[in-house]
Amino acid sequence: MKKFIQTALFFLLTASLGFAQQEKGITGYSNWLNTWTDFKPSTLRHGEPTQILSGNISKDTKLRKRDVYLLLGDVFVTNDATLTIEPGTIILGDFKTKGSLTITKGSKIIANGTQTDPIVFTSSRSNKKQGDWGGLFVLGDAPLNIFGNVSSLNYGLETSSTESIAYGGTDVESNSGILNYIRIEFAGKRTKEYGYFNGLTLAGIGNKTVVENVMVSYCAGNSINVMGGTTILEKVVSYRSNQNDYEFNYGAQSQLINSLAIRSPYISSPTGSRCIVVKSYDIKEEADTSKKETFVNAENLTLVTISEDLKSDISMGLVQEAIYIGADVSFSINRSVISGFYPAVVMDNMIQLNNENLEKIQFTKTYFNNCKGNIYRKGFTNNDDLESWYGSRAFDNLYAKGSDDETFIDAKNSRDPDFRLQVNRIIASNDFFDDDDDDD
């Protein structure tokens, strides 16, 4: 009987270890990136378009998997219509007209793909490049922190009505639809007057909108840009963006959960591009201080730079900070991984280092790995106060210098990478690095 109990306990322990998961960084007993993501999207051929989308879609419309659709110019879903997209549907952004799709305020998009049959927005060209087409805009009537609580997109979209580019309102629970198991590839066109488009722009959307299992890859602008609203982003992936991976502004009240950003020094812009940018305004005088400042709560993120020679790329100025925190914001990140940056975090120089501000910016149970420097204030080379604060055992942060092979399960798999931490392979201390270390 004793031998039976010992055998049973052995198998129970083995089973529990087999299903164990690391609590920091992206989590899951299995790799949730499998099946629906694509880390080599330029190799796929989607066929010629069979249907054209142009102008306004003013009534309920369904896009079907059997067709391939071409976004010709700037396309708007208007008049409170719902655009439903079947799983497996392919939508091509036209290269010549820099096609884009905007879901106007009051309308909805139901793009509910599946893990085995995702919905794909991509370039119409056979030789796909960053910025081939515009991107996807979803506009809602949740609050902004600007005067009047309503704004308009400023991207030069060609529309017959300014109502088609208006966003913002008072409904925190507004519902702009579902984005689930979708990929957005090679978006982010550039215009001389307005700059880069984003892969996915969420402007004033409410918390009833579902944004989950979304991958934005090879975007010339920001991968995901959140402008106000009350967003919940879960299991989202930004891959090889030229600009920022996730940007939050205009009083956004956002949750970013179990999500991933993968940067490449050879593709990302070397000037001012980061994994996360958190701001409350572009021009302070345009913000209404009586309204909520931007708040981002991040849980179980993995932010990583993939480099063949990180030390060399840092010395050449190709690697930037992972997170930039602007003035007058609240930001918290918990149980996350920040690996391979210079430095890990930069705070705006307008942020005064006092208890009130530091209590609004929280780093807890986070794993800082292979970063040349950790948390700094812009323009300041001495970060002793920040090291003392965030290095306290009360925050339970860890600091290490592990290679990608030691840190992640299978980060170098070019087809199906696994960026979950290796269970029980974290070797770290509660001390910040010496920035003068020759290994940096």
Side-chain angles (χ1 to χ4, degrees), residues 121-337:
F121 291 82
T122 192
S123 166
S124 64
R125 293 207 295 175
S126 56
N127 184 23
K128 301 176 177 62
K129 301 291 185 182
Q130 289 178 309
D132 274 354
W133 61 290
L136 175 59
F137 297 85
V138 184
L139 315 183
D141 57 357
L144 316 175
N145 69 349
I146 64 173
F147 292 100
N149 216 27
V150 177
S151 188
S152 295
L153 292 175
N154 189 23
Y155 288 90
L157 293 169
E158 295 183 4
T159 176
S160 58
S161 171
T162 57
E163 292 182 1
S164 296
I165 56 174
Y167 66 95
T170 59
D171 187 0
V172 298
E173 295 188 339
S174 64
N175 185 352
S176 296
I178 299 172
L179 299 174
N180 187 33
Y181 288 116
I182 75 166
R183 299 201 308 265
I184 301 171
E185 303 164 351
F186 303 104
K189 77 173 184 181
R190 184 178 184 179
T191 61
K192 291 182 179 180
E193 186 176 357
Y194 300 101
Y196 291 102
F197 279 40
N198 308 305
L200 174 61
T201 300
L202 304 172
I205 69 166
N207 59 27
K208 295 298 184 183
T209 308
V210 175
V211 183
E212 187 171 351
N213 299 299
V214 174
M215 181 178 192
V216 182
S217 56
Y218 292 99
C219 184
N222 298 333
S223 285
I224 297 180
N225 206 57
V226 180
M227 304 163 68
T230 51
T231 56
I232 302 172
L233 311 178
E234 187 167 0
K235 290 185 178 179
V236 291
V237 182
S238 173
Y239 182 59
R240 296 197 171 194
S241 170
N242 183 59
Q243 300 295 315
N244 301 317
D245 295 294
Y246 307 106
E247 182 168 323
F248 302 87
N249 204 347
Y250 305 131
Q253 306 294 298
S254 298
Q255 307 284 330
L256 182 59
I257 304 167
N258 199 13
S259 295
L260 175 65
I262 306 163
R263 300 199 70 78
S264 168
Y266 322 115
I267 291 178
S268 304
S269 169
T271 56
S273 60
R274 299 106 173 185
C275 292
I276 298 176
V277 171
V278 185
K279 303 187 295 183
S280 268
Y281 43 76
D282 292 325
I283 301 173
K284 187 171 184 177
E285 288 71 24
E286 294 178 354
D288 185 345
T289 56
S290 69
K291 296 175 180 176
K292 292 182 179 180
E293 62 188 19
T294 296
F295 167 73
V296 176
N297 177 59
E299 299 274 348
N300 289 108
L301 301 192
T302 294
L303 314 177
V304 59
T305 296
I306 299 298
S307 167
E308 296 298 325
D309 188 340
L310 185 63
K311 182 178 179 180
S312 174
D313 290 338
I314 287 175
S315 69
M316 290 190 295
L318 300 178
V319 178
Q320 307 297 310
E321 63 267 19
I323 300 173
Y324 188 91
I325 302 172
D328 303 315
V329 305
S330 295
F331 175 78
S332 66
I333 186 168
N334 187 36
R335 297 193 303 272
S336 295
V337 175

Side-chain angles (χ1 to χ4, degrees), residues 400-420:
K401 287 188 177 180
S403 67
D404 288 345
D405 289 338
E406 296 171 336
T407 305
F408 303 106
I409 291 176
D410 195 5
K412 294 185 177 179
N413 187 322
S414 61
R415 178 61 66 181
D416 296 307
D418 192 338
F419 286 94
R420 291 174 298 161

